[in-house]
Amino acid sequence: MTDQTNLDALRAEALQWITDDPDKAGRDELYRLLDGLPETADELADRFSGRLKFGTAGLRGPLRAGPNGMNLAVVRAAAAGLANWLDAKGAEGPVVVGYDARHGSREFALETARVVTGSGRRALVMPGPLPTPVTAFAVTRLDGAAAVQVTASHNPPQDNGYKVYLGRELGGDLGAGAQIVPPADTEIEAAIEALGPLSEIPLGDEGETLDEGVLDEYLAAVASVVDPDDPKRLASVATPMHGVGGATLVKAMVRAGFPAPSLVAEQAEPDADFPTVAFPNPEEPGAIDLLKALAVDEGADVALALDPDADRCSVAVPTGDGGWRQLSGNEVGVLLADHWMRKGRKGTYATTIVSTTQLKAMCAARGFAYMETLTGFKWLARTSPDLAFAFEEALGYCVAPEFLRDKDGISAALVVAEIAAGQAARFATLQDRLDELAEEFGVYETGQLSVRVEDLAEIAACMKRLRANRPASLLDEPVVDYLDRLPEADVVTITTANARVVARPSGTEPKLKAYLEVREDVGGDLQAARERARASVEALKAEIAAVLGVPH
């Protein structure tokens, strides 16, 4: 094909899409690109390089017109596919529709509601922009067939997305209120592909707007995870990072008996442009700098950071020298697990294959059941009927699976506050408790090699190099276990007596990730053990980067 032939084919494809796009703004956007040809050919080709696929994370992509973006046309198709799938499954009940404060979120939520009501099913729309965990809670509390949350979580401002949760009927004992897993994703995707023209999808009204009662029920539930007899005296600061969790977190803290946290003023209100952070993700360097500064000014005991849809929580603690340190997700997970174990919470404690192995050691020593899963809360939620607690290193924690089988930053923040207040009552900190656990179980130092790419083929090439150049040793210790999880998952785990590497592509971002862990015996000198472990993690990062062929 000649270049002109390619351009003509691209123009024809775009014009065909425009005839079926229900959004005038989207149509105008594409017309402008067509008018700019041939200079806009690459941009237009990217938008028509394929359709945004519906997977276990639902949809997530840049806000832009065309099939390879988040827009009203793609959302209408996704909602219709979901509605048809629910009908095919014979599922009764309404669809709960929630949304955050990102660009387009409310419009996408109302479009979803119109499609759901047009299919003959009730749509229950949240009363305003609210955290994702409220929607996950509501789908079971309101006996929904499914729930949709319009959010891109911690993605950049130009993105949006679409998460789907199952109710009791389709989710069963383990999946009620949890995100979908295969084969639901492929079945919904097939239902989307089977649709005819979007103009033929019947549309109803915008559904029933729920009152604040559903939020009040959620707040009552999360407040109940805190022991009313435990200490509540606590000075805390927090940030919702321009997202929707600020007001809900304050209400939950007060309802549980804690003083209200001081919020970072610049980040307290929802702002879809996320002006004070490069990436609205608490894990990103510099993302909680304003929070730490406020913690210093306030003389706080603990600092809490929610991601924009409030399903994840990061924690920072004072270092004793006037500074503050952000805890890793593994450290917070271990603190939460230890708290529940000491409270006598029975059941299974679960984490993922990329999270710290310290939880496994704690369960073995204390007599608790342990399970691990592939990465993602959709798997953690389904580990066991007696699930007591679950966490993943990416700042996700499920502290109360009895009413919410998904990660929830707000209920996790309340339990962190409970631990911190208990420590403060004995003139100690969260770091002191981590030190005590290190003395008991050894130092588990974790790190991560994370490589962001422009071309996803680079990730595949790195994983291929890792499989082709299988290390015989790490940190001068022989490899005792090499596990390649293909075809189940694109994950490689390499283990020695005291170190472990887990390499995988990110499921939500264009990144390659290698999760690193080194264990050191304390040997009477905790500080020296920590220093040895940190140095070993850095050396391990260099070794694995060389194998993958990436900079570190």
Side-chain angles (χ1 to χ4, degrees):
M1 296 174 67
T2 66
D3 287 343
Q4 185 59 50
T5 303
N6 284 328
L7 285 176
D8 289 345
L10 183 59
R11 185 188 298 275
E13 188 176 6
L15 288 170
Q16 180 62 39
W17 176 270
I18 287 170
T19 63
D20 202 31
D21 191 330
D23 182 27
K24 182 181 184 302
R27 297 194 298 269
D28 290 345
E29 190 178 319
L30 292 176
Y31 276 130
R32 285 194 294 272
L33 288 173
L34 286 171
D35 289 344
L37 287 174
E39 287 78 9
T40 57
D42 288 345
E43 170 69 13
L44 199 60
D46 186 43
R47 293 178 185 227
F48 286 86
S49 61
R51 188 167 53 79
L52 207 59
K53 294 291 185 182
F54 196 99
T56 55
L59 297 171
R60 196 175 293 188
L63 288 159
R64 59 184 186 179
N68 193 21
M70 280 294 295
N71 52 67
L72 279 175
V74 166
V75 166
R76 181 180 292 188
L82 174 62
N84 290 347
W85 179 75
L86 292 173
D87 289 344
K89 292 290 184 181
E92 302 291 335
V95 172
V96 178
V97 184
Y99 57 98
D100 67 8
R102 282 178 176 267
H103 293 298
S105 287
R106 177 171 168 78
E107 291 80 1
F108 294 162
L110 295 180
E111 184 74 4
T112 298
R114 283 189 284 266
V115 172
V116 169
T117 57
S119 75
R121 192 181 296 267
R122 292 171 67 206
L124 307 179
V125 182
M126 285 293 174
L130 285 170
T132 293
V134 181
T135 301
F137 168 84
V139 68
T140 53
R141 190 56 60 101
L142 299 174
D143 291 323
V148 168
Q149 175 76 3
V150 181
T151 179
S153 189
H154 54 274
N155 272 40
Q158 63 269 24
D159 288 0
N160 213 326
Y162 203 82
K163 292 181 179 178
V164 174
Y165 293 83
L166 297 180
R168 289 191 184 90
E169 187 177 352
L170 294 179
D173 291 340
L174 299 184
Q179 292 184 61
I180 58 171
V181 293
D185 56 338
T186 54
E187 291 171 355
I188 295 170
E189 174 66 20
I192 294 170
E193 290 181 351
L195 294 171
L198 297 182
S199 57
E200 295 179 5
I201 294 172
L203 300 177
D205 59 35
E206 293 181 348
E208 305 160 44
T209 301
L210 295 166
D211 61 25
E212 295 289 329
V214 65
L215 176 59
D216 191 65
E217 286 190 58
Y218 168 80
L219 290 169
V222 297
S224 73
V225 306
V226 174
D227 189 332
D229 297 325
D230 277 3
K232 299 293 186 299
R233 195 169 183 175
L234 184 73
S236 65
V237 295
T239 177
M241 205 159 287
H242 299 297
V244 294
T248 304
L249 175 63
V250 171
K251 290 175 183 176
M253 291 279 282
V254 172
R255 189 151 183 165
F258 299 104
S262 297
L263 297 184
V264 174
E266 301 94 324
Q267 300 174 335
E269 296 301 321
D271 188 328
D273 293 320
F274 304 101
T276 68
V277 288
F279 287 95
N281 180 351
E283 292 180 293
E284 293 287 340
I288 68 164
D289 283 356
L290 290 174
L291 177 67
K292 289 192 286 188
L294 180 62
V296 172
D297 290 344
E298 297 272 330
D301 298 311
V302 68
L304 305 165
L306 302 176
D307 73 338
D309 71 331
D311 65 351
R312 302 194 308 154
C313 176
S314 184
V315 179
V317 297
T319 56
D321 58 1
W324 280 74
R325 183 175 78 85
Q326 185 174 12
L327 302 183
S328 70
N330 285 317
E331 289 176 306
V332 177
V334 164
L335 282 170
L336 291 169
D338 169 64
H339 180 70
W340 282 141
M341 289 176 182
R342 288 188 293 145
K343 284 282 189 182
R345 176 175 276 221
K346 303 298 183 185
T348 298
Y349 288 71
T351 191
T352 67
I353 60 172
V354 301
S355 303
T356 180
T357 58
Q358 185 172 350
L359 179 62
K360 184 177 183 179
M362 291 167 61
C363 288
R366 296 176 177 180
F368 289 89
Y370 170 81
M371 291 184 71
E372 63 182 45
T373 71
L374 293 172
T375 306
F377 251 91
K378 59 184 178 287
W379 302 116
L380 282 172
R382 293 170 168 84
T383 48
S384 173
D386 72 340
L387 182 64
F389 169 71
F391 86 93
E392 60 181 356
E393 55 74 41
L395 311 182
Y397 319 98
C398 176
V399 300
E402 61 271 20
F403 65 77
L404 181 55
R405 281 191 172 249
D406 194 32
K407 57 185 179 291
D408 178 5
I410 291 169
S411 58
L414 262 61
V415 181
V416 169
E418 181 175 38
I419 302 169
Q423 288 292 99
R426 64 186 186 103
F427 304 101
T429 65
L430 294 178
Q431 183 61 59
D432 291 327
R433 184 59 195 152
L434 286 170
D435 291 346
E436 292 165 359
L437 289 169
E439 295 280 1
E440 185 177 357
F441 296 102
V443 172
Y444 286 78
E445 185 72 22
T446 60
Q448 190 178 121
L449 174 65
S450 181
V451 182
R452 186 178 289 272
V453 301
E454 296 295 328
D455 183 357
L456 292 178
E458 295 177 45
I459 294 177
C462 287
M463 294 300 292
K464 185 177 180 180
R465 281 193 291 272
L466 178 61
R467 291 181 168 105
N469 301 291
R470 175 173 164 171
S473 65
L474 294 172
L475 301 177
D476 296 324
E477 288 186 342
V479 169
V480 296
D481 188 31
Y482 177 94
L483 178 60
D484 189 341
R485 294 180 182 267
L486 282 177
E488 175 192 23
D490 189 8
V491 179
V492 171
T493 302
I494 308 167
T495 308
T496 72
N498 294 293
R500 189 192 63 173
V501 173
V502 184
R504 60 178 279 271
S506 169
T508 57
E509 299 176 274
K511 287 183 177 180
L512 171 69
K513 292 187 175 183
Y515 303 82
L516 317 171
E517 182 173 56
V518 172
R519 184 191 176 279
E520 284 277 350
D521 287 322
V522 172
D525 190 337
L526 177 56
Q527 183 59 34
R530 282 216 167 99
E531 289 174 2
R532 291 196 305 272
R534 290 181 191 124
S536 294
V537 166
E538 287 304 308
L540 187 59
K541 185 183 295 186
E543 282 192 28
I544 205 66
V547 175
L548 292 169
V550 298
H552 74 280

